Amino acid sequence: MGRIVGFFCRWCGYTAADLAGVARRPLPVELVVVRVPCTGRVDPELVLEALQQGAAGVLVVGCRRGDCHYVSGNLEAEKRFKLLRLLLCQLGMEGRFQLQLISPSEVERLVEAAWQMVFQLRQGMPGRG
Ligand code: FES
């Protein structure tokens, strides 16, 4: 299985990944984390580019609704990724993308989401996007 590219917001996703390390809750080795300032800065074209370049999946993790440090970046991302999901669904690739909105303390949620994505991709099963 190829890599999973994780675009993690520095305030929530990246902090949760950091805390997962502190708590000794391993994230999959397939996951390569890219720290971004906000999910609002992750263009869907970037996701498509990562998949086109050989990534097995893309996991975008940002702040919960109401917690974005740039007010509405995560809401904008949700809107844009809704369209991306439709496109990936049409292409039979819906399991290869996931957006999670979490708080920095939701380490278990992040760890579970990452492992679930790995298991789904290993099995070649489409999952929730
Ligand atoms: S600052 Fe985290 S999603 Fe916007």
Side-chain angles (χ1 to χ4, degrees):
M1 193 187 97
R3 300 278 185 203
I4 294 175
V5 178
F7 293 110
F8 287 13
C9 156
R10 65 173 289 202
W11 302 101
C12 300
Y14 195 83
T15 302
D18 212 16
L19 289 174
V22 172
R24 295 176 189 260
R25 295 286 291 122
L27 288 163
V29 292
E30 292 88 345
L31 180 65
V32 178
V33 176
V34 179
R35 189 172 78 160
V36 296
C38 173
T39 53
R41 296 300 300 269
V42 183
D43 196 291
E45 278 184 31
L46 207 54
V47 175
L48 290 172
E49 179 75 20
L51 294 173
Q52 194 179 22
Q53 293 291 322
V58 175
L59 174 62
V60 178
V61 183
C63 305
R64 292 166 65 134
R65 290 183 199 99
D67 289 345
C68 176
H69 285 241
Y70 306 97
V71 185
S72 59
N74 53 359
L75 303 179
E76 294 300 320
E78 269 191 318
K79 275 189 227 162
R80 279 188 261 137
F81 290 139
K82 202 176 275 184
L83 293 173
L84 177 67
R85 271 196 205 97
L86 289 175
L87 175 66
L88 292 175
C89 207
Q90 291 290 315
L91 298 170
M93 298 167 64
E94 63 269 29
R96 294 179 63 188
F97 170 75
Q98 199 178 123
L99 170 68
Q100 288 282 330
L101 300 181
I102 65 169
S103 77
S105 62
E106 289 183 293
V107 172
E108 285 306 316
R109 214 172 131 199
L110 173 67
V111 171
E112 270 177 38
W115 279 105
Q116 188 184 20
M117 194 169 197
V118 167
F119 292 138
Q120 283 175 348
L121 289 170
R122 277 185 189 155
Q123 293 169 357
M125 292 171 52
R128 286 181 20 191

